Amino acid sequence: MHIKTKQPRKQRRLLYQAPLHVRHKLMSAHLSDDLRKEYGFRSLPVRKGDVVVVMRGEHKGHSGKVIRVDLSKYRVFIEGLVRKKADGTEVFIPIHPSKLEIIRLNLDDKWRKEIIERKTAAKSLAEKG
């Protein structure tokens, strides 16, 4: 799905009307330097169970496990990152995945392993030829 337009209006429309398989790829975050050296690529979509660290904003430096990924609003919720409401209840603070860095991957999912293998194979093929 390659869009050639630079118009902000059409870029926003693409974002708001994107199907789930495209939204999932838009929910990518950078890998830490250790993971980048190990796997050979820069970023990967964030999943529940990954351990991430916040790189920007008010909560910079906070790390924790991803509890929920909201594809409809493009936000990630991290364990321990909460805000108290006026009535005293605590709610998770939504963070955009571009502000995160993945420091440990959740490899319990077989599909995640296949994605990583596919990306590493493509990287090695590109380096050879």
Side-chain angles (χ1 to χ4, degrees), residues 28-89:
S28 292
H30 284 283
L31 297 176
S32 66
D33 292 334
D34 299 335
L35 290 176
R36 196 178 296 180
K37 284 177 189 166
E38 183 180 341
Y39 295 114
F41 48 86
R42 182 179 290 267
S43 66
L44 204 60
V46 178
R47 287 203 181 184
K48 181 178 173 180
D50 288 346
V51 178
V52 297
V53 61
V54 180
M55 302 301 288
R56 294 278 183 274
E58 188 179 336
H59 307 287
K60 181 179 180 176
H62 184 275
S63 63
K65 189 183 274 191
V66 174
I67 291 181
R68 194 179 97 187
V69 176
D70 188 353
L71 289 179
S72 64
K73 294 184 179 179
Y74 295 107
R75 293 294 182 264
V76 175
F77 298 92
I78 303 167
E79 194 174 60
L81 199 59
V82 291
R83 175 182 290 138
K84 277 197 175 182
K85 289 172 54 174
D87 65 355
T89 59

Side-chain angles (χ1 to χ4, degrees), residues 69-126:
V69 176
D70 188 353
L71 289 179
S72 64
K73 294 184 179 179
Y74 295 107
R75 293 294 182 264
V76 175
F77 298 92
I78 303 167
E79 194 174 60
L81 199 59
V82 291
R83 175 182 290 138
K84 277 197 175 182
K85 289 172 54 174
D87 65 355
T89 59
E90 290 184 339
V91 291
F92 289 103
I93 299 171
I95 304 288
H96 194 271
S98 66
K99 310 298 179 203
L100 301 175
E101 182 180 69
I102 302 173
I103 53 176
R104 194 167 68 233
L105 294 171
N106 178 15
L107 296 173
D108 294 341
D109 187 10
K110 67 173 184 173
W111 296 111
R112 188 83 180 267
K113 290 177 185 174
E114 286 182 19
I115 290 167
I116 290 171
E117 288 170 9
R118 196 177 329 125
K119 284 186 91 158
T120 50
K123 185 77 171 179
S124 63
L125 263 175

